[in-house]
Amino acid sequence: MRDYKLATGVVDGAEQPLLLLDGAVYTLGEVLGAHAPASLLDVFRDWARFDGLIAQATPAGPGRDPATVEYRTPIAMPPKVICVGTNYRDHLAEMKVTTLPVFPYSFMRPYTSLAAHGEAIHLPQLPKMVDWEAELGIVIGTSVGPGSGVDPADAIAGYTVINDVSARDWIQSRPHVGIDWVMQKAWDRFQPTGPWITPARCVADPQNLAIELRVNDVTKQKSNTSSMIFGAIDIVRHLSSIMTLEPGDLIATGTPAGVGFGRTPPESIRPGDRITVTIEGLGQLENTFV
């Protein structure tokens, strides 16, 4: 079966699922014909069948240059967006967290927080300490939940690139009840994602991928997913013991050290900043903040 990547973008004026094959971009319609699904969510809802069909298909024509495509968020309205925090030991240290978590520490985010590769992200007026976080993303392809009997590893359809943007203002002034995750994480367009989703079978080891974030070409984060406290499968196992994970669900897995808030003096995203997240084998996500 051939390796490929999936995205969503605008071709001929229409938003549609895209395929990256041998360095060229095709629409799924050009590869699968009239019966191609209308969205990537539809692809992941029948993942086993479509993965086989796409991997064996032979596209007609030369395809497109990936640099010429206007991308959209890969899955516009996933059933759930779940984020895991404090999942790299070095990031815990820079955030002055002294106790290792005994399970993946997670929260949920609205899909309105998603943004596309290449999209200009408008900084909201209220928070003044907006930060970056490079993260590996998981895409679910098979429902898995309490008592389902599904192996968590089999539920993972693919991996993607995420920038988990955070408003840090409410960490310093948090009340005793804890951090207001909505005020920190739920702002519109605060989770750029993509542009590509790489099938899990095309990723030899998700726990051995170089991950890097640059701000205006200056490296701020440089690590490897081998430094995660809880790996991708452990995260899916934990979350699926609580709730049913569904096809198309998106999970962010935490960030390594190098965030702006942990620096001396602290740094934050400013208008005009261009932030690039690269994960080995998965691609590059870039956004300018305005």
Side-chain angles (χ1 to χ4, degrees):
M1 297 175 73
R2 303 174 72 180
D3 290 357
Y4 65 89
K5 298 180 187 296
L6 294 167
T8 298
V10 177
V11 174
D12 297 331
E15 185 175 308
Q16 51 192 307
L18 305 177
L19 171 70
L20 179 66
L21 188 63
D22 298 330
V25 174
Y26 304 85
T27 69
L28 277 192
E30 292 169 339
V31 176
L32 298 181
H35 299 292
S39 71
L40 286 193
L41 184 56
D42 292 329
V43 171
F44 291 112
R45 283 171 173 161
D46 197 0
W47 174 240
R49 181 169 74 93
F50 279 120
D51 180 32
L53 289 174
I54 295 168
Q56 297 177 41
T58 302
R64 301 164 184 80
D65 182 345
T68 66
V69 175
E70 181 183 352
Y71 294 95
R72 294 289 188 261
T73 301
I75 303 172
M77 298 174 64
K80 291 183 284 297
V81 180
I82 308 172
C83 301
V84 173
T86 61
N87 198 30
Y88 284 74
R89 288 175 176 83
D90 56 0
H91 179 53
L92 263 67
E94 72 175 353
M95 298 299 281
K96 298 178 173 55
V97 178
T98 57
T99 303
L100 289 178
V102 297
F103 52 80
Y105 187 66
S106 54
F107 57 92
M108 300 186 75
R109 200 174 213 161
Y111 65 78
T112 48
S113 292
L114 297 177
H117 167 70
E119 182 176 348
I121 309 300
H122 288 263
L123 291 165
Q125 291 186 350
L126 185 57
K128 305 304 180 186
M129 301 172 64
V130 179
D131 205 349
W132 55 78
E133 293 188 3
E135 306 204 9
L136 172 70
I138 299 169
V139 180
I140 298 296
T142 300
S143 290
V144 56
S148 67
V150 175
D151 188 324
D154 295 335
I156 299 175
Y159 298 96
T160 190
V161 182
I162 289 173
N163 183 4
D164 175 5
V165 182
S166 306
R168 303 292 192 190
D169 306 59
W170 295 278
I171 289 181
Q172 290 184 318
S173 60
R174 64 186 178 209
H176 293 298
V177 294
I179 297 170
D180 186 326
W181 289 105
V182 171
M183 290 283 279
Q184 185 177 183
K185 301 284 191 174
W187 301 86
D188 283 356
R189 328 314 285 172
F190 258 34
Q191 188 174 305
T193 299
W196 302 107
I197 297 173
T198 302
R201 63 172 180 78
C202 302
V203 180
D205 184 358
Q207 302 312 141
N208 187 24
L209 301 175
I211 180 169
E212 181 178 8
L213 181 144
R214 301 189 305 277
V215 179
N216 303 323
D217 296 324
V218 176
T219 298
K220 299 294 185 178
Q221 293 181 281
K222 190 176 181 66
S223 187
N224 190 288
T225 57
S226 61
S227 297
M228 289 166 61
I229 298 170
F230 301 102
I233 295 173
D234 293 330
I235 290 170
V236 172
R237 179 179 293 111
H238 169 71
L239 293 174
S240 65
S241 72
I242 300 169
M243 69 186 87
T244 297
L245 300 178
E246 305 164 282
D249 280 352
L250 179 62
I251 304 170
T253 62
T255 195
V259 301
F261 187 75
R263 294 177 170 270
T264 305
E267 300 177 17
S268 60
I269 299 173
R270 300 302 182 193
D273 282 349
R274 175 172 46 85
I275 297 184
T276 306
V277 182
T278 305
I279 300 182
E280 179 182 0
L282 304 188
Q284 182 171 287
L285 168 71
E286 184 171 290
N287 296 90
T288 298
F289 289 75
V290 298

